[in-house]
Amino acid sequence: MRTILFSLCIAFVCVSCKKQKIIDWVMSTPDNSWVHQESQHIKTEKGGASISAEVHLANPEQTIDGFGACFNELGWTSLSALSEKDRDDILKELFYPGKGTNFTICRMPVGANDFSRNWYSYNETEGDFEMKNFSIANDFETLIPFIRLAKNYNPSLTIWASPWSPPAWMKYNKHYACNVSGNEKFPNGLLPSQMGKEGTNMFIQDEKYFEAYALYFAKFIEAYRNEGIHISMVMPQNEFNSCQVFPSCTWTASGINTFVGEYLGPHMAKIGTEVMFGTMERPNTLLVDTLLLDEKSSKYIKGVGFQWAGKGAVGKIHTDYPLLKIYQTEQECGDGRNDWEYCCYAWELMKHYLSNGTNVYCYWNISLEKGGVSRWGWSQNSLITVDVQSKTYKYNYEYYLMKHFSHYVLPGAQRLSVTGEFNDMLAFRNVDGSLVLVIRNKNNSVVSPSIKIGEDIYSLTLKPQSFHTLVIRK
């Protein structure tokens, strides 16, 4: 009898264990960021109750490869204004697994970009087609220590790269920029006669220039490998349609197709570096098709990177090429105020990209000085703002929004589809089986959705103007 009772007790405990779920819940509002909530306030019911949304466990969508940001020179110079301890604390918060944002994949420029200290490339010796004068000396002051410190906290950090401009001598206008500045405070020295325009090739369309530029990429990757930094993938050009006052270079799709298919692709294949098409900043899928349908280029293209207006092409490209990797390569950058309103806009961007097949989501500026002004006069947002006068820093709203995803949605997670009238949310299932819900209440009043997952219904009370992450573990 005693044996039977003991067995029944064990069975009861086991059944109870199967039903028990552990729920973590964190919330951010305009007044308080990353506040842990009491999970007992979540009411759990079985089927039959009315629901506002349903998370579908069957037929998962794309796999998430990771989240990250970009290593820019002005990110490093702003962090360098802080004490060594504060700088290390920030990089640990960003990159140490399980600590903060868990960043696992980040971008870097090949030479100068718009948030560099000034223009530079790795070889400004005109006619040096053999790259004898190639040098990454500039980067030892900024990008290399920046990346090394990040990799100290996450040795497995993946780095990919793209140029904003080739060396000036490889361009028809012999200048790093494409458009006249028009601002005396932020000059670029470009003459009206040197201006380019969208839909044209500013890169010299000649075999020896193509070959030299592919060699330039290879030299860059090899030089960084020698410093212990592995570049896993490159994209041929940042925003190849955009004629900017800062480092930029317009290309036609056919021009990039020639470069990738006949020069860059073969060079990168020899050294084991992947190529993706991008970054794509127009909602024109035909520009992408130019390379993906080409016999030569398509052999090398492993995915496509989209940013800004390119978001309008993401859905169709994912539908047309469902196995293709999609990167969101640069979150739109705001105006330097880092306010709640723009954070809410950033949520819409994240929801759009991730709902349309994106595998990797990259923020833009990691850190900037207060005001976020670039060398060429553009004020932008950042995850961290540094006050160089007081040598203090703060994490901005968009940092916490990124953390609502990246702290819990880990590489290998799969997105789950969500249906119902309450659709301001995204759902994921991690490799360990844990479920992650990232939810926004955009209203100025409390909302109380009931969310069905499998046989369970979770009823929540969400504060006005708030972001939430729920993690449900068995």
Side-chain angles (χ1 to χ4, degrees), residues 19-92:
K19 292 181 179 179
Q20 186 178 5
K21 290 183 173 66
I22 300 171
I23 302 176
D24 295 331
W25 180 11
V26 66
M27 176 188 72
S28 295
T29 68
D31 300 319
N32 292 287
S33 296
W34 206 252
V35 180
H36 288 273
Q37 305 296 293
E38 297 294 333
S39 61
Q40 60 260 36
H41 294 161
I42 301 173
K43 183 181 178 183
T44 306
E45 305 174 77
K46 290 295 180 182
S50 61
I51 61 171
S52 311
E54 182 173 1
V55 175
H56 299 278
L57 300 176
N59 302 316
E61 305 290 341
Q62 82 272 17
T63 298
I64 304 301
D65 293 340
F67 297 84
C70 188
F71 292 106
N72 291 327
E73 283 203 299
L74 295 190
W76 180 249
T77 58
S78 60
L79 291 174
S80 296
L82 300 171
S83 69
E84 184 177 350
K85 180 184 182 305
D86 283 346
R87 186 170 63 246
D88 286 355
D89 286 347
I90 289 169
L91 272 294
K92 185 175 183 180

Side-chain angles (χ1 to χ4, degrees), residues 17 55 77 86 119 121 143 154 165 195 215 254-255 257 294 317 337 368 377 395 400 406 412 422 436:
C17 288
V55 175
T77 58
D86 283 346
W119 162 249
S121 78
L143 297 177
N154 183 0
S165 174
M195 288 176 60
L215 179 59
S254 61
N257 186 45
D294 182 85
I317 291 297
R337 291 187 293 180
L368 291 175
Y395 293 102
Y400 290 103
S406 61
F422 183 80
V436 182

Side-chain angles (χ1 to χ4, degrees), residues 6 99 104 151 305 365 381 400 409 432 445 454 458 466 469:
F6 179 76
K99 170 70 174 172
T104 57
K151 286 181 73 66
N365 285 297
N381 290 358
Y400 290 103
V409 181
D432 66 2
S445 58
Y458 300 87
S466 57
T469 301

Side-chain angles (χ1 to χ4, degrees), residues 380-438:
Q380 298 189 0
N381 290 358
S382 55
L383 297 176
I384 295 128
T385 293
V386 174
D387 186 326
V388 298
Q389 300 301 318
S390 63
K391 298 189 181 302
T392 58
Y393 66 93
K394 68 173 183 177
Y395 293 102
N396 295 318
Y397 288 129
E398 289 171 78
Y399 167 78
Y400 290 103
L401 176 59
M402 287 292 291
K403 190 175 178 181
H404 271 283
F405 286 88
S406 61
H407 185 76
Y408 295 111
V409 181
L410 305 179
Q414 292 180 301
R415 184 175 66 84
L416 303 173
S417 62
V418 179
T419 58
E421 62 181 25
F422 183 80
N423 59 5
D424 218 2
M425 62 181 291
L426 290 158
F428 306 87
R429 180 168 51 205
N430 282 317
V431 174
D432 66 2
S434 61
L435 301 175
V436 182
L437 309 183
V438 190

Side-chain angles (χ1 to χ4, degrees), residues 3 22 24 83 86 94 103 214 219 245 248 307 336 353 370 394 398-399:
T3 302
I22 300 171
D24 295 331
S83 69
D86 283 346
L94 291 169
F103 282 166
K219 289 277 191 179
V245 302
S248 53
Q307 58 194 52
Y353 276 102
K370 196 173 182 179
K394 68 173 183 177
E398 289 171 78
Y399 167 78

